[in-house]
Amino acid sequence: FEAAKLAQHLKFELPQLANPESLKSVALAAKFKTDFGSVHLDDIAANVDQSQVSGYVHVAGLSEPVVQYELQADRINLDDYMPVADESGKAGALIPLDFVRAAALDGLIDIETAVVGGIEVNDLQVTSSIENGILTANPAMMRVHDGEVSAALRFDARETPTLQITAEVRRVDADGSLNPLLTSIIGDQAPVISGQVDADINMSAIGFSIAALQRSAKGNAKLGMAGGSITGIDFSYASQSVVADYAERNDFRVSRTFNEEYVPDRVTPFESLNASFKIGGGRLVNEDFLMVSKDVNVNGSGSIDFVNRRLDYRPEIDMHAKKTGNIRDKLRDHPMMYHAHGPFG
């Protein structure tokens, strides 16, 4: 059956989903038992679009139902099922509020492979409950590449919806965390970071829609890497170019061989990378970025405006130039401030 048509027949409307083809092909088989005061669905075998789902759902007290469940799925793209704004421009609710305010449930969801926020995760397990208008997901566990993420979520729908999230990220590959963020901000030419990331996130938000939650989000985040590399920034060429430009403006002679050839895919290993962020007003604000390497140290400060999708950041590059008597190397040995700014992409 098609979920939207069934919902229409039952006289309620499903929200518009990110993928309009979602829930177009649903099939369900199960062992069914009822004493007219409760319903048990056991040995569920369901198809939800391209996903295979199994498990059980028990509903007790049909007048004021209490639901217990345990469901397993093989593979599902959760991004496809996110509510979006309808044709009138009204933002879809992140969670059906009437359902959360009225429901009582407790259970476990276990997904072998899921796509969340464009990132593929494995062994996603979420223990969740709804009671008295409060939804909790604690713990939510998943693997991203060889690393692990554990999180806890609390959504209070009783009045103005409030959301609280804490998360711990341990040894997650940068390909599954930092690089998708860099690409969304800078575009296809974004630098690529290699290595394992640790992070801690604590955030709260208020609102009826994803956009409202983004605007109201506040909290903090901290990330660190004990080693790795960055590809796509030629720090040496950048500092040489500054000195060459300075020399030209000041009628100062520099050898033609001073500037090395630009290497767009230059790889710079680093010993550590650390940064902390304050979340508020739709922005991530950072004041203490620091990357330490054998050839260069980079510190920086600025903001990422994820509501208006703008970057305003000032990295400072401190090359470890050779200690020679040459004036050009002395000039390169000074920290150089850059300004990266503009709309995303």
Side-chain angles (χ1 to χ4, degrees):
F1 60 89
E2 186 174 332
K5 290 184 177 179
L6 177 61
Q8 187 177 23
H9 181 72
L10 298 175
K11 302 193 184 318
F12 71 90
E13 186 176 357
L14 292 178
Q16 183 177 339
L17 303 180
N19 184 349
E21 297 302 313
S22 297
L23 302 180
K24 289 289 183 72
S25 177
V26 182
L28 171 66
K31 289 183 177 178
F32 175 83
K33 181 174 71 174
T34 181
D35 59 5
F36 300 102
S38 64
V39 171
H40 284 197
L41 295 176
D42 291 302
D43 298 338
I44 290 174
N47 297 336
V48 180
D49 300 320
Q50 305 302 315
S51 304
Q52 309 295 315
V53 180
S54 60
Y56 71 83
V57 176
H58 295 170
V59 183
L62 296 184
S63 58
E64 295 183 0
V66 177
V67 181
Q68 292 184 319
Y69 63 90
E70 188 171 312
L71 298 170
Q72 298 83 37
D74 56 354
R75 183 180 181 88
I76 187 167
N77 186 337
L78 296 175
D79 293 345
D80 287 345
Y81 300 92
M82 291 297 293
V84 296
D86 58 25
E87 293 179 358
S88 67
K90 182 181 178 182
L94 180 61
I95 299 175
L97 295 179
D98 291 341
F99 173 77
V100 177
R101 288 165 177 164
L105 60 81
D106 182 49
L108 170 69
I109 293 177
D110 189 344
I111 304 174
E112 291 180 17
T113 304
V115 176
V116 183
I119 298 173
E120 184 172 286
V121 303
N122 300 105
D123 299 336
L124 172 61
Q125 292 186 340
V126 181
T127 300
S128 61
S129 67
I130 299 178
E131 186 175 4
N132 299 324
I134 299 174
L135 182 153
T136 59
N138 187 10
M141 311 283 292
M142 67 192 80
R143 285 194 305 108
V144 184
H145 298 285
D146 293 327
E148 297 180 348
V149 177
S150 60
L153 175 149
R154 185 179 189 272
F155 184 82
D156 188 339
R158 288 176 295 182
E159 295 180 2
T160 301
T162 60
L163 175 68
Q164 293 177 312
I165 297 175
T166 59
E168 293 183 354
V169 178
R170 296 293 177 262
R171 303 179 307 280
V172 169
D173 196 288
D175 280 339
S177 52
L178 294 184
N179 291 332
L181 176 63
L182 289 174
T183 300
S184 70
I185 295 171
I186 299 173
D188 293 338
Q189 301 302 314
V192 176
I193 297 177
S194 300
Q196 294 183 331
V197 181
D198 290 335
D200 293 283
I201 301 166
N202 191 330
M203 185 181 69
S204 63
I206 300 174
F208 292 86
S209 67
I210 296 174
L213 292 172
Q214 287 180 332
R215 288 192 299 270
S216 66
K218 61 181 180 180
N220 54 73
K222 185 176 182 179
L223 67 88
M225 300 179 68
S229 66
I230 182 167
T231 303
I233 300 178
D234 192 338
F235 294 104
S236 181
Y237 179 85
S239 70
Q240 289 171 343
S241 297
V242 169
V243 172
D245 290 344
Y246 175 83
E248 184 176 348
R249 289 195 307 271
N250 292 275
D251 196 23
F252 172 87
R253 299 196 68 175
V254 174
S255 168
R256 291 183 179 179
T257 60
F258 172 62
N259 254 16
E260 298 176 2
E261 184 178 350
Y262 172 58
V263 181
D265 55 353
R266 174 87 70 183
V267 179
T268 303
F270 59 80
E271 282 78 53
S272 64
L273 185 155
N274 293 279
S276 62
F277 298 86
K278 289 184 178 180
I279 306 167
R283 298 190 306 160
L284 291 170
V285 178
N286 165 253
E287 301 290 345
D288 63 356
F289 178 90
L290 177 61
M291 186 189 84
V292 177
S293 79
K294 180 172 70 76
D295 298 321
V296 59
N297 287 359
V298 181
N299 59 61
S301 62
S303 65
I304 302 169
D305 187 333
F306 50 85
V307 171
N308 298 308
R309 300 180 63 80
R310 295 191 69 86
L311 175 71
D312 189 350
Y313 204 81
R314 295 181 182 270
E316 186 177 86
I317 296 174
D318 187 4
M319 297 298 303
H320 300 162
K322 296 178 182 178
K323 301 295 183 181
T324 70
N326 194 309
I327 187 64
R328 63 196 184 196
D329 288 327
K330 288 184 177 180
L331 288 170
R332 286 187 67 208
D333 201 31
H334 289 273
M336 300 178 183
M337 177 74 77
Y338 294 79
H339 190 194
H341 59 98
F344 285 7

